[in-house]
Amino acid sequence: DVAKDVDERLIEKFLSEVDNIQIQENLRELTKVPHMATTAGDEQTVQLMLKRWQDPETGLDQAWREEYMVYLSFPDPKKPNKVTVVSPSDEVLYTAREKEKTYPSDQDDPEVVQPYAAYSPAGHPKGKLVYANQGKPNDYQLLNNTVDLRGTIAITRYGGAGRGAKAINAAPYGVIGVLVYTDPLDINDGLMSDINETYPHSWYMPPSGVERGSFNGQFGDMLTPYLAAKEETFRIPVEDITGIPPIPIQPIGFEDAYRLICELGGEAAPTQWQGAFNCTYNFGPGFRNPSAFNNSDVKLDIFNYEEKKNSSNVMGVIKGSVEPDRYVIYGNHRDSWVHGAIDPSSGTSVMLELTRVLGKMVKQGKWRPRRSIIFGSWGAEEFGLIGSAEYTEQYFTKLSERTVAYINVDIAVFANATLRASGMPSLQNIIFKAAKQVNAPGLDSTSVYDNWIKYSNRTSQANGLIPNVGYLSGAGSDYAAFVHYLGITSMDISYTYDRSKTNARIYPAYHTAYDTFDYASKFIDPGFVSHQAIARTAGNVLIRLADSLIVPLNCSDYAETLEDYLNTAVTLYQHQLQERNISMEPLKRAVASFRSAATHLDQVIRSSDLANETPLTVRRINDQLMLLDRAFLDPLAFPDKYAYRHVIWASSSAGKPTFPGLADAFANTESQSSAWDKVHYHLSVLSQAIEGAAHTLGDVI
Amino acid sequence: DVAKDVDERLIEKFLSEVDNIQIQENLRELTKVPHMATTAGDEQTVQLMLKRWQDPETGLDQAWREEYMVYLSFPDPKKPNKVTVVSPSDEVLYTAREKEKTYPSDQDDPEVVQPYAAYSPAGHPKGKLVYANQGKPNDYQLLNNTVDLRGTIAITRYGGAGRGAKAINAAPYGVIGVLVYTDPLDINDGLMSDINETYPHSWYMPPSGVERGSFNGQFGDMLTPYLAAKEETFRIPVEDITGIPPIPIQPIGFEDAYRLICELGGEAAPTQWQGAFNCTYNFGPGFRNPSAFNNSDVKLDIFNYEEKKNSSNVMGVIKGSVEPDRYVIYGNHRDSWVHGAIDPSSGTSVMLELTRVLGKMVKQGKWRPRRSIIFGSWGAEEFGLIGSAEYTEQYFTKLSERTVAYINVDIAVFANATLRASGMPSLQNIIFKAAKQVNAPGLDSTSVYDNWIKYSNRTSQANGLIPNVGYLSGAGSDYAAFVHYLGITSMDISYTYDRSKTNARIYPAYHTAYDTFDYASKFIDPGFVSHQAIARTAGNVLIRLADSLIVPLNCSDYAETLEDYLNTAVTLYQHQLQERNISMEPLKRAVASFRSAATHLDQVIRSSDLANETPLTVRRINDQLMLLDRAFLDPLAFPDKYAYRHVIWASSSAGKPTFPGLADAFANTESQSSAWDKVHYHLSVLSQAIEGAAHTLGDVI
Ligand SMILES: [Ca+2]
Ligand SMILES: [Ca+2]
Ligand SMILES: [Zn+2]
Ligand SMILES: [Zn+2]
Ligand SMILES: [Zn+2]
Ligand SMILES: [Zn+2]
């Protein structure tokens, strides 16, 4: 029992029991009403999760809720935000839509929140409109060469820069308000008409669709950095919050954006700034002469307010039989912006199907995992990954010490073409194994793996042609706190697009009132077979992580990534570093040490007769594998990036496929020569972290 | 074998084999020549350690050296530092001694380093002398009320403030140079005469004795914060170093201090400022009129220079049989200021005797510990705990993950009256157990424990009357990086004074050229029986930590300390906190959770049939105990205190027996009302850390 390895028949049984219709019905139930964080609809989903996870037939060992009091931002239902065109005589010439248009039904629900930019300040800026492309720093810089931006309202399109950045980048130029919309070029492959082109005729965004979102730049509750947001926890003063829009910003539909942009005067914007509208996108400032809006201003009336509210995570566990003190965590957020059929309920439907199948095996006494499995249904992700981040703050030590891996499945299905996976390289191997055992949806005799490799692949020195697994260097979903703050080996998977068929930034109903069961079942995954494939693949990985005698993490695949990063760094930086007498040798030696320790550990694992080893020998190897990512944490390496501590995967603005701190430091040397010290510092931080990781993989003494 | 507990017969055998004469001979060999860090004498001790630890009959499994390139400070042998009295016509009226007086022999060695203040800048300040007591902030403040300190040289006595602080506190008042000496009141119980009172007639400091020391304020190599000081490691610019004297400072003997102080003019200093000299200590500025020095200045000519040099740790291991990936670390520094018989060679002599006895058992195949034992002979401690700190930086992750405890024995014997122990409360229990099994030196039928409890005791709610174990909240020796940076359960023990017989701040030859084998064997521990008692006690603890089936750390004793701290905090702060609506309830709840989790874990341990439990169950409990202190780490809680991360034991200037961050934050509220936020912050940090620790002690899932 102590020496038992994963049972392949159990995996087969699991795969056969995962039911697409159950997933479909889960989704139907989860999306009955809008369930934005902390609303009554959210509470309904809390109750649903608890009911399922406490079910005596198919539930988990235990389930409970954990509350955090977190800082959220909402529009005022009594004073809706307004965007208007106002003539010099204060006549309102045009009013943008306040709510998305209703097609069949769901959009009518009174609980559909008005489109807004969470954490945008309230305010009533009025000024001449300008078009600022994607609101990137160089967009405003270029625009400012032609137009005096002081006192203007900038209209921007989604993409290129973070949501909040569009306002943060604007303010230094004197811009006083920002609009943001989704250009049909970026989301609808250019299509615009709701007569026959957009939802409900296709998956494309209707003209009145608006992407909501959080406009803050960091993750976790903003008032309680590094502290779980309990009622009496110390909170920083609201005025100390950084990374949120300093000026009002509001998202609108492209229907309204069309009216505003196509009336703009001034010079024509550059070609790359042009979108899908059948007009020239001009810079402004202000409207063309002649035009209905000539001489008029655009006015924003934003009534957003902030409030501390209780948000719940729902937690559930299956206690491990042999190593209950080792955790495999599987999670997804529960809160949506509106009905959230795809984001996040596709993932939640999958999670509920996993827990049904696994819970039933547990309740029937047929199975209990070797290690404990913790399920997390996180709250308030849409406002900045808040529930998962607070959870990692509260349980920091315990989770750091005991967690083998974290699996995140947020949007389970973006589209039904192929698997997409991101994660630490040490998990690649087990994702491949799982993907080979699952049939690709709609393709009888092709595995998810064989289908995937056709869409996205690379050649690995050790493994030959393999599917391409991405990295988790951003904070796109709830894996962020696990990866960056805790240094826990993590992954995120979903089914996604055929990129030869669409250029959509994301599935077009994302964060709109059209992300409904109707939409999901008609246009994203009819029959829910892609959901089923994700449930099978993620569940397969989950069972292997929980049940394998040796934790199925491959440190040699990590070595390969470090070598790739090193090679890129040498190519990009070595010459200039040599000129400044900064040696890359310590980093090269560290990566070589890591490779050699990884090879050695792999050899130890291969040559051990594991079933007959003492349990403590197996545990020792498992601890080496489990704790590998922890060695890459440095809580002081990125003082300006909240909760980013993983020196290999931290976010980076340099856009180079190499060590993030080094790349960003190097990029800064172009503007400040004192930045060379920081380059040298990051080289030392990296060398020490990688050597430290190698020490943990080598012989234990 | 996997379920074997500590073998009491083996402990008895160990105790019987620890030989006082071996310790004596170790000391004789270690102190043949001065062995200041990185000198030829230091290298001789490196070779000695390696030879002993690599001995085929009595050595360890393996021993090796590890080098760091560290930033040190030395006087210039060609241009000795000078302290003179200079008349207005530039005539030198008086010159302080450059070297300590030779009595029997040892002080003649050309390798005896001139007394100096390591990290004092070079410089040649000249000015009127003032007497500034101990150089504390309020000493200078008080003196400044009477005397214009600009351009003066301040003479201070050791004690009350850190060495470097005496200069750091002085500079803001315009003081340009500082002298420091040891007043006979503070070290010699008032005695002063080398005719018949001081060494070589007794243990007291001769008139020319000078305490050397490091005058920096943090630990570890100052140029490489958080990074191991390898050759190519990034180093901060020298001008970014903080915490070192901004103005020249030099230590002198009380013989010279007497001449200077007793000639001072000005008002008489307050009673508490008076020392043992048979004159009134006046403030100055300058000398009395009439006096031989009237109108003269004091001049410092300091030629110290800084240099990066290679310093070695010598490491040795005995590999564990069952859990080689669990480490018990035992260490002491190897470097001294001069011959360093007591500091540190008393501890090194003890360590060598331990490794001889244990090594022999290992080499003879009679014993191998369950867990691995690592011995560290640290370099460059005297310059700021450098070797041990660099070691913890280099091996941070591995040591954090695997170290059960750290035992530090630096000065093994200050005096031969009683045991003194400091450490985490969880170790108290095992120290008591060991101390009960060792005979007190010179007392046939009394144990070290029974003798100890007579000298220092307290009443514990759970344990009744017990010896008082101190805390490791400072950075007095190499435990600092283990306690504060790594959060490893640590202890420090020695034999020490009967405080009813002496008021000496420390043994009087401390850091002088008189700390020799002759001194140690005649005045500190004739017969080396106190050394033997320390070797037996520390070795007993070491074997128990390495061999016990359940790690002998008691979490309920930790709970008692947290409750004491909490009670003090409530008494001192609750009233004022309530007035500001800051609740102490979360802290109270956290301490209660900790207590209840500790009680529960104790109960689990007591009620388990451990010998028949699965090895993984035992390991799980051991991991809970081993990692307990790690839960108290917060790398961001003390941004101004280098490498202090342990929220229970961090240093504190408030001087209250309670949580240090809270106490210091509260103390600041007296001067700045904005400091209340910091109080609230520290309450939340503490509550979360203690709750987090409780989570790790509770049921694992
Ligand atoms: Ca928080
Ligand atoms: Ca260092
Ligand atoms: Zn999502
Ligand atoms: Zn989302
Ligand atoms: Zn010492
Ligand atoms: Zn010392």
Side-chain angles (χ1 to χ4, degrees), chain A residues 226 228 232 234 325 327 393 402 619-620 680 684 688 696 700, chain B residues 226 228 232 234 325 327 393 402 583 620 623 680 684 688 696 700:
Chain A
Y226 305 109
E232 286 157 322
F234 170 69
D325 59 337
Y327 309 150
E393 288 170 345
R402 301 178 186 167
R619 171 85 163 208
R620 184 198 322 153
H680 193 175
S684 292
Q688 181 160 302
T696 70
V700 294
Chain B
Y226 304 110
E232 286 157 321
F234 169 68
D325 59 337
Y327 309 150
E393 288 171 346
R402 300 179 186 166
S583 169
R620 184 200 320 154
D623 280 359
H680 193 176
S684 292
Q688 181 160 303
T696 70
V700 295

mmCIF file of all heavy atoms in Angstrom, chain A residues 226 228 232 234 325 327 393 402 619-620 680 684 688 696 700, chain B residues 226 228 232 234 325 327 393 402 583 620 623 680 684 688 696 700:
data_model
loop_
_atom_site.group_PDB
_atom_site.id
_atom_site.type_symbol
_atom_site.label_atom_id
_atom_site.label_comp_id
_atom_site.label_asym_id
_atom_site.label_seq_id
_atom_site.Cartn_x
_atom_site.Cartn_y
_atom_site.Cartn_z
ATOM 1 N N TYR A 226 0.253 40.906 0.987
ATOM 2 C CA TYR A 226 0.935 39.837 1.738
ATOM 3 C C TYR A 226 0.198 39.394 3.003
ATOM 4 O O TYR A 226 0.707 38.577 3.753
ATOM 5 C CB TYR A 226 2.385 40.213 2.070
ATOM 6 C CG TYR A 226 3.183 40.583 0.845
ATOM 7 C CD1 TYR A 226 3.574 41.904 0.607
ATOM 8 C CD2 TYR A 226 3.499 39.626 -0.103
ATOM 9 C CE1 TYR A 226 4.287 42.249 -0.541
ATOM 10 C CE2 TYR A 226 4.205 39.960 -1.255
ATOM 11 C CZ TYR A 226 4.596 41.268 -1.463
ATOM 12 O OH TYR A 226 5.298 41.601 -2.604
ATOM 13 N N ALA A 228 -3.607 38.004 4.477
ATOM 14 C CA ALA A 228 -4.942 37.549 4.128
ATOM 15 C C ALA A 228 -5.955 38.592 4.605
ATOM 16 O O ALA A 228 -5.878 39.084 5.731
ATOM 17 C CB ALA A 228 -5.227 36.196 4.767
ATOM 18 N N GLU A 232 -10.199 42.136 10.478
ATOM 19 C CA GLU A 232 -9.403 43.071 11.283
ATOM 20 C C GLU A 232 -7.960 43.231 10.801
ATOM 21 O O GLU A 232 -7.137 43.830 11.481
ATOM 22 C CB GLU A 232 -9.417 42.599 12.749
ATOM 23 C CG GLU A 232 -10.766 42.883 13.408
ATOM 24 C CD GLU A 232 -11.050 41.991 14.598
ATOM 25 O OE1 GLU A 232 -10.700 40.788 14.538
ATOM 26 O OE2 GLU A 232 -11.607 42.495 15.590
ATOM 27 N N PHE A 234 -4.736 44.577 8.959
ATOM 28 C CA PHE A 234 -4.260 45.915 8.595
ATOM 29 C C PHE A 234 -4.465 46.162 7.106
ATOM 30 O O PHE A 234 -4.174 45.313 6.278
ATOM 31 C CB PHE A 234 -2.770 46.050 8.926
ATOM 32 C CG PHE A 234 -2.169 47.304 8.360
ATOM 33 C CD1 PHE A 234 -2.533 48.549 8.864
ATOM 34 C CD2 PHE A 234 -1.281 47.253 7.292
ATOM 35 C CE1 PHE A 234 -1.997 49.724 8.315
ATOM 36 C CE2 PHE A 234 -0.753 48.415 6.745
ATOM 37 C CZ PHE A 234 -1.112 49.648 7.257
ATOM 38 N N ASP A 325 -0.112 14.504 4.056
ATOM 39 C CA ASP A 325 0.565 15.797 4.163
ATOM 40 C C ASP A 325 1.239 16.211 2.857
ATOM 41 O O ASP A 325 2.138 17.051 2.862
ATOM 42 C CB ASP A 325 1.583 15.781 5.309
ATOM 43 C CG ASP A 325 2.639 14.698 5.130
ATOM 44 O OD1 ASP A 325 2.378 13.705 4.421
ATOM 45 O OD2 ASP A 325 3.733 14.834 5.722
ATOM 46 N N TYR A 327 0.008 17.692 -0.885
ATOM 47 C CA TYR A 327 -1.212 18.201 -1.505
ATOM 48 C C TYR A 327 -1.050 18.350 -3.018
ATOM 49 O O TYR A 327 -0.052 18.888 -3.491
ATOM 50 C CB TYR A 327 -1.564 19.599 -0.964
ATOM 51 C CG TYR A 327 -1.608 19.742 0.546
ATOM 52 C CD1 TYR A 327 -1.298 20.968 1.133
ATOM 53 C CD2 TYR A 327 -1.980 18.674 1.380
ATOM 54 C CE1 TYR A 327 -1.355 21.128 2.513
ATOM 55 C CE2 TYR A 327 -2.032 18.841 2.757
ATOM 56 C CZ TYR A 327 -1.713 20.071 3.326
ATOM 57 O OH TYR A 327 -1.759 20.234 4.682
ATOM 58 N N GLU A 393 -1.845 33.657 0.741
ATOM 59 C CA GLU A 393 -1.308 34.477 1.825
ATOM 60 C C GLU A 393 -1.637 33.858 3.180
ATOM 61 O O GLU A 393 -0.795 33.771 4.063
ATOM 62 C CB GLU A 393 -1.821 35.919 1.707
ATOM 63 C CG GLU A 393 -1.168 36.638 0.527
ATOM 64 C CD GLU A 393 -1.762 37.984 0.169
ATOM 65 O OE1 GLU A 393 -2.884 38.298 0.631
ATOM 66 O OE2 GLU A 393 -1.118 38.724 -0.590
ATOM 67 N N ARG A 402 4.099 21.707 1.527
ATOM 68 C CA ARG A 402 3.426 20.441 1.246
ATOM 69 C C ARG A 402 2.837 20.274 -0.139
ATOM 70 O O ARG A 402 2.325 19.203 -0.460
ATOM 71 C CB ARG A 402 2.304 20.243 2.271
ATOM 72 C CG ARG A 402 2.819 20.221 3.679
ATOM 73 C CD ARG A 402 1.687 20.070 4.679
ATOM 74 N NE ARG A 402 2.207 20.188 6.041
ATOM 75 C CZ ARG A 402 1.465 20.341 7.121
ATOM 76 N NH1 ARG A 402 0.146 20.374 6.993
ATOM 77 N NH2 ARG A 402 2.009 20.453 8.318
ATOM 78 N N ARG A 619 10.211 8.959 -0.387
ATOM 79 C CA ARG A 619 9.794 10.286 0.065
ATOM 80 C C ARG A 619 10.884 11.326 -0.160
ATOM 81 O O ARG A 619 10.606 12.475 -0.509
ATOM 82 C CB ARG A 619 9.456 10.198 1.557
ATOM 83 C CG ARG A 619 9.209 11.520 2.239
ATOM 84 C CD ARG A 619 7.770 12.000 2.088
ATOM 85 N NE ARG A 619 7.500 13.020 3.078
ATOM 86 C CZ ARG A 619 6.313 13.291 3.594
ATOM 87 N NH1 ARG A 619 5.252 12.630 3.189
ATOM 88 N NH2 ARG A 619 6.165 14.222 4.499
ATOM 89 N N ARG A 620 12.129 10.898 0.059
ATOM 90 C CA ARG A 620 13.247 11.826 -0.115
ATOM 91 C C ARG A 620 13.311 12.316 -1.560
ATOM 92 O O ARG A 620 13.414 13.515 -1.826
ATOM 93 C CB ARG A 620 14.546 11.110 0.249
ATOM 94 C CG ARG A 620 15.753 11.979 0.206
ATOM 95 C CD ARG A 620 17.052 11.166 0.137
ATOM 96 N NE ARG A 620 16.982 9.970 0.962
ATOM 97 C CZ ARG A 620 17.668 8.850 0.740
ATOM 98 N NH1 ARG A 620 18.487 8.760 -0.293
ATOM 99 N NH2 ARG A 620 17.545 7.813 1.537
ATOM 100 N N HIS A 680 24.163 42.906 -13.325
ATOM 101 C CA HIS A 680 25.096 42.049 -12.581
ATOM 102 C C HIS A 680 24.380 41.422 -11.374
ATOM 103 O O HIS A 680 24.528 40.235 -11.095
ATOM 104 C CB HIS A 680 26.305 42.876 -12.136
ATOM 105 C CG HIS A 680 27.445 42.052 -11.636
ATOM 106 N ND1 HIS A 680 28.658 42.598 -11.286
ATOM 107 C CD2 HIS A 680 27.567 40.722 -11.405
ATOM 108 C CE1 HIS A 680 29.474 41.633 -10.877
ATOM 109 N NE2 HIS A 680 28.833 40.488 -10.933
ATOM 110 N N SER A 684 23.757 37.387 -10.545
ATOM 111 C CA SER A 684 24.126 36.712 -9.294
ATOM 112 C C SER A 684 22.916 36.058 -8.636
ATOM 113 O O SER A 684 23.005 34.938 -8.128
ATOM 114 C CB SER A 684 24.780 37.713 -8.332
ATOM 115 O OG SER A 684 26.033 38.127 -8.831
ATOM 116 N N GLN A 688 22.817 32.039 -8.157
ATOM 117 C CA GLN A 688 22.659 31.461 -6.822
ATOM 118 C C GLN A 688 21.388 30.612 -6.735
ATOM 119 O O GLN A 688 21.396 29.528 -6.138
ATOM 120 C CB GLN A 688 22.641 32.571 -5.774
ATOM 121 C CG GLN A 688 22.493 32.050 -4.361
ATOM 122 C CD GLN A 688 22.963 33.065 -3.333
ATOM 123 O OE1 GLN A 688 24.108 33.510 -3.344
ATOM 124 N NE2 GLN A 688 22.085 33.444 -2.433
ATOM 125 N N THR A 696 19.647 21.074 -4.289
ATOM 126 C CA THR A 696 18.517 20.283 -3.762
ATOM 127 C C THR A 696 18.282 19.020 -4.583
ATOM 128 O O THR A 696 17.663 18.083 -4.100
ATOM 129 C CB THR A 696 17.194 21.092 -3.720
ATOM 130 O OG1 THR A 696 16.738 21.322 -5.054
ATOM 131 C CG2 THR A 696 17.363 22.403 -2.988
ATOM 132 N N VAL A 700 21.747 13.993 -1.345
ATOM 133 C CA VAL A 700 21.180 14.807 -0.264
ATOM 134 C C VAL A 700 22.233 15.266 0.728
ATOM 135 O O VAL A 700 22.031 16.222 1.463
ATOM 136 C CB VAL A 700 20.042 14.092 0.481
ATOM 137 C CG1 VAL A 700 18.865 13.900 -0.441
ATOM 138 C CG2 VAL A 700 20.517 12.798 1.077
ATOM 139 N N TYR B 226 22.481 39.048 0.868
ATOM 140 C CA TYR B 226 21.622 37.962 0.395
ATOM 141 C C TYR B 226 22.250 37.097 -0.713
ATOM 142 O O TYR B 226 21.590 36.206 -1.239
ATOM 143 C CB TYR B 226 20.244 38.478 -0.054
ATOM 144 C CG TYR B 226 19.546 39.260 1.030
ATOM 145 C CD1 TYR B 226 19.364 40.637 0.929
ATOM 146 C CD2 TYR B 226 19.121 38.620 2.195
ATOM 147 C CE1 TYR B 226 18.756 41.362 1.945
ATOM 148 C CE2 TYR B 226 18.511 39.338 3.207
ATOM 149 C CZ TYR B 226 18.336 40.706 3.075
ATOM 150 O OH TYR B 226 17.724 41.420 4.076
ATOM 151 N N ALA B 228 25.765 34.797 -1.716
ATOM 152 C CA ALA B 228 27.019 34.238 -1.236
ATOM 153 C C ALA B 228 28.178 34.948 -1.933
ATOM 154 O O ALA B 228 28.148 35.160 -3.148
ATOM 155 C CB ALA B 228 27.061 32.743 -1.512
ATOM 156 N N GLU B 232 32.805 36.189 -8.389
ATOM 157 C CA GLU B 232 32.160 37.008 -9.429
ATOM 158 C C GLU B 232 30.773 37.511 -9.025
ATOM 159 O O GLU B 232 30.036 38.061 -9.842
ATOM 160 C CB GLU B 232 32.079 36.196 -10.730
ATOM 161 C CG GLU B 232 33.439 36.087 -11.394
ATOM 162 C CD GLU B 232 33.554 34.884 -12.316
ATOM 163 O OE1 GLU B 232 33.026 33.816 -11.956
ATOM 164 O OE2 GLU B 232 34.155 35.038 -13.391
ATOM 165 N N PHE B 234 27.853 39.782 -7.655
ATOM 166 C CA PHE B 234 27.617 41.235 -7.644
ATOM 167 C C PHE B 234 27.887 41.803 -6.254
ATOM 168 O O PHE B 234 27.455 41.240 -5.252
ATOM 169 C CB PHE B 234 26.169 41.532 -8.041
ATOM 170 C CG PHE B 234 25.789 42.963 -7.803
ATOM 171 C CD1 PHE B 234 26.363 43.981 -8.562
ATOM 172 C CD2 PHE B 234 24.904 43.310 -6.785
ATOM 173 C CE1 PHE B 234 26.045 45.310 -8.328
ATOM 174 C CE2 PHE B 234 24.573 44.639 -6.549
ATOM 175 C CZ PHE B 234 25.155 45.636 -7.329
ATOM 176 N N ASP B 325 18.536 13.014 4.403
ATOM 177 C CA ASP B 325 18.072 14.327 3.962
ATOM 178 C C ASP B 325 17.502 15.155 5.111
ATOM 179 O O ASP B 325 16.774 16.121 4.881
ATOM 180 C CB ASP B 325 17.039 14.190 2.844
ATOM 181 C CG ASP B 325 15.826 13.372 3.266
ATOM 182 O OD1 ASP B 325 15.931 12.562 4.216
ATOM 183 O OD2 ASP B 325 14.750 13.537 2.644
ATOM 184 N N TYR B 327 19.027 17.291 8.404
ATOM 185 C CA TYR B 327 20.317 17.731 8.911
ATOM 186 C C TYR B 327 20.208 18.272 10.336
ATOM 187 O O TYR B 327 19.311 19.057 10.647
ATOM 188 C CB TYR B 327 20.892 18.874 8.058
ATOM 189 C CG TYR B 327 20.933 18.638 6.566
ATOM 190 C CD1 TYR B 327 20.831 19.718 5.690
ATOM 191 C CD2 TYR B 327 21.101 17.360 6.014
ATOM 192 C CE1 TYR B 327 20.886 19.539 4.307
ATOM 193 C CE2 TYR B 327 21.157 17.172 4.637
ATOM 194 C CZ TYR B 327 21.037 18.261 3.787
ATOM 195 O OH TYR B 327 21.079 18.094 2.419
ATOM 196 N N GLU B 393 23.406 31.853 2.944
ATOM 197 C CA GLU B 393 22.971 32.460 1.678
ATOM 198 C C GLU B 393 23.173 31.477 0.525
ATOM 199 O O GLU B 393 22.303 31.297 -0.324
ATOM 200 C CB GLU B 393 23.718 33.772 1.444
ATOM 201 C CG GLU B 393 23.218 34.860 2.393
ATOM 202 C CD GLU B 393 24.028 36.145 2.415
ATOM 203 O OE1 GLU B 393 25.168 36.150 1.894
ATOM 204 O OE2 GLU B 393 23.545 37.147 2.965
ATOM 205 N N ARG B 402 15.601 21.202 5.008
ATOM 206 C CA ARG B 402 16.055 19.947 5.601
ATOM 207 C C ARG B 402 16.640 20.034 6.992
ATOM 208 O O ARG B 402 16.979 18.993 7.574
ATOM 209 C CB ARG B 402 17.108 19.326 4.674
ATOM 210 C CG ARG B 402 16.562 19.041 3.303
ATOM 211 C CD ARG B 402 17.623 18.456 2.401
ATOM 212 N NE ARG B 402 17.123 18.327 1.040
ATOM 213 C CZ ARG B 402 17.874 18.094 -0.032
ATOM 214 N NH1 ARG B 402 19.178 17.960 0.117
ATOM 215 N NH2 ARG B 402 17.322 17.993 -1.214
ATOM 216 N N SER B 583 -7.651 46.226 16.992
ATOM 217 C CA SER B 583 -8.032 45.096 17.830
ATOM 218 C C SER B 583 -6.877 44.129 18.027
ATOM 219 O O SER B 583 -6.144 43.815 17.090
ATOM 220 C CB SER B 583 -9.205 44.365 17.172
ATOM 221 O OG SER B 583 -9.429 43.145 17.826
ATOM 222 N N ARG B 620 5.946 12.529 8.935
ATOM 223 C CA ARG B 620 4.992 13.633 8.845
ATOM 224 C C ARG B 620 5.036 14.469 10.126
ATOM 225 O O ARG B 620 5.106 15.699 10.086
ATOM 226 C CB ARG B 620 3.587 13.063 8.623
ATOM 227 C CG ARG B 620 2.526 14.100 8.420
ATOM 228 C CD ARG B 620 1.137 13.551 8.694
ATOM 229 N NE ARG B 620 0.994 12.199 8.181
ATOM 230 C CZ ARG B 620 0.141 11.291 8.665
ATOM 231 N NH1 ARG B 620 -0.658 11.596 9.669
ATOM 232 N NH2 ARG B 620 0.094 10.076 8.156
ATOM 233 N N ASP B 623 8.271 16.348 10.280
ATOM 234 C CA ASP B 623 8.267 17.527 9.405
ATOM 235 C C ASP B 623 7.510 18.676 10.063
ATOM 236 O O ASP B 623 7.919 19.835 9.979
ATOM 237 C CB ASP B 623 7.635 17.188 8.046
ATOM 238 C CG ASP B 623 8.619 16.469 7.126
ATOM 239 O OD1 ASP B 623 9.774 16.254 7.538
ATOM 240 O OD2 ASP B 623 8.226 16.123 6.002
ATOM 241 N N HIS B 680 -0.474 48.374 13.759
ATOM 242 C CA HIS B 680 -1.548 47.523 13.226
ATOM 243 C C HIS B 680 -0.973 46.511 12.233
ATOM 244 O O HIS B 680 -1.309 45.314 12.254
ATOM 245 C CB HIS B 680 -2.615 48.406 12.571
ATOM 246 C CG HIS B 680 -3.892 47.677 12.268
ATOM 247 N ND1 HIS B 680 -4.995 48.290 11.768
ATOM 248 C CD2 HIS B 680 -4.219 46.369 12.376
ATOM 249 C CE1 HIS B 680 -5.975 47.417 11.583
ATOM 250 N NE2 HIS B 680 -5.515 46.229 11.941
ATOM 251 N N SER B 684 -1.025 42.348 12.432
ATOM 252 C CA SER B 684 -1.528 41.451 11.383
ATOM 253 C C SER B 684 -0.449 40.467 10.943
ATOM 254 O O SER B 684 -0.736 39.285 10.718
ATOM 255 C CB SER B 684 -2.017 42.265 10.182
ATOM 256 O OG SER B 684 -3.177 42.992 10.532
ATOM 257 N N GLN B 688 -1.012 36.489 11.461
ATOM 258 C CA GLN B 688 -0.974 35.582 10.318
ATOM 259 C C GLN B 688 0.136 34.544 10.473
ATOM 260 O O GLN B 688 -0.052 33.368 10.153
ATOM 261 C CB GLN B 688 -0.790 36.384 9.025
ATOM 262 C CG GLN B 688 -0.770 35.512 7.793
ATOM 263 C CD GLN B 688 -1.087 36.302 6.533
ATOM 264 O OE1 GLN B 688 -2.134 36.935 6.413
ATOM 265 N NE2 GLN B 688 -0.163 36.278 5.583
ATOM 266 N N THR B 696 0.273 24.534 10.479
ATOM 267 C CA THR B 696 1.242 23.467 10.185
ATOM 268 C C THR B 696 1.285 22.425 11.298
ATOM 269 O O THR B 696 1.721 21.308 11.064
ATOM 270 C CB THR B 696 2.670 24.013 9.969
ATOM 271 O OG1 THR B 696 3.196 24.480 11.220
ATOM 272 C CG2 THR B 696 2.704 25.126 8.946
ATOM 273 N N VAL B 700 -2.985 17.392 9.298
ATOM 274 C CA VAL B 700 -2.340 17.822 8.062
ATOM 275 C C VAL B 700 -3.325 18.190 6.974
ATOM 276 O O VAL B 700 -2.991 18.899 6.034
ATOM 277 C CB VAL B 700 -1.352 16.780 7.526
ATOM 278 C CG1 VAL B 700 -0.202 16.626 8.491
ATOM 279 C CG2 VAL B 700 -2.035 15.464 7.274
#
